[in-house]
Amino acid sequence: MSKITVIKSTKSLVASKDPAKKPYPVVELVYKTEEGKTKSMKIFGFGAQQANSIVAGSAKQGDVLEVTFQQSDKGYWEFSSVVATGEVAAQAADVSVNK
């Protein structure tokens, strides 16, 4: 497990390629790793990622999350778990995308 610090969490609806289907929820999580690298990941709000999407979607800037990564069948990296720790980064005001 790794700890990440949330920089920004954005929820949106994305239209399906099939016009007969409803739009689906996506959370884009921008975060800072323990090594200080800024990364982002899209988390789909359905299927196996639904629980992770709910936690990530309710996270605020500076929140510390405990995550586990896995590679999907298609070779993409995704979260296998996202857990709110209740911690807030000591320098939450200093966390930004430009650093």
Side-chain angles (χ1 to χ4, degrees):
M1 291 194 131
S2 301
K3 287 190 177 182
I4 61 171
T5 302
V6 175
I7 295 172
K8 184 167 99 173
S9 176
T10 308
K11 295 185 245 184
S12 61
L13 288 176
V14 176
S16 174
K17 291 180 182 178
D18 180 350
K21 293 186 177 179
K22 293 181 182 179
Y24 55 90
V26 175
V27 173
E28 183 168 5
L29 187 66
V30 180
Y31 60 93
K32 192 166 277 204
T33 66
E34 291 174 303
E35 295 81 27
K37 294 180 181 178
T38 300
K39 297 186 175 191
S40 71
M41 188 173 296
K42 290 185 179 179
I43 308 165
F44 298 99
F46 58 87
Q49 291 293 310
Q50 185 173 12
N52 295 336
S53 173
I54 291 168
V55 174
S58 63
K60 306 284 185 247
Q61 181 177 349
D63 286 353
V64 177
L65 305 175
E66 195 164 60
V67 298
T68 305
F69 296 93
Q70 69 182 13
Q71 208 163 6
S72 72
D73 295 339
K74 295 181 180 182
Y76 298 107
W77 284 100
E78 62 187 11
F79 294 119
S80 61
S81 70
V82 177
V83 178
T85 64
E87 299 174 40
V88 177
Q91 299 172 357
D94 191 36
V95 176
S96 70
V97 178
N98 298 325
K99 292 194 172 195

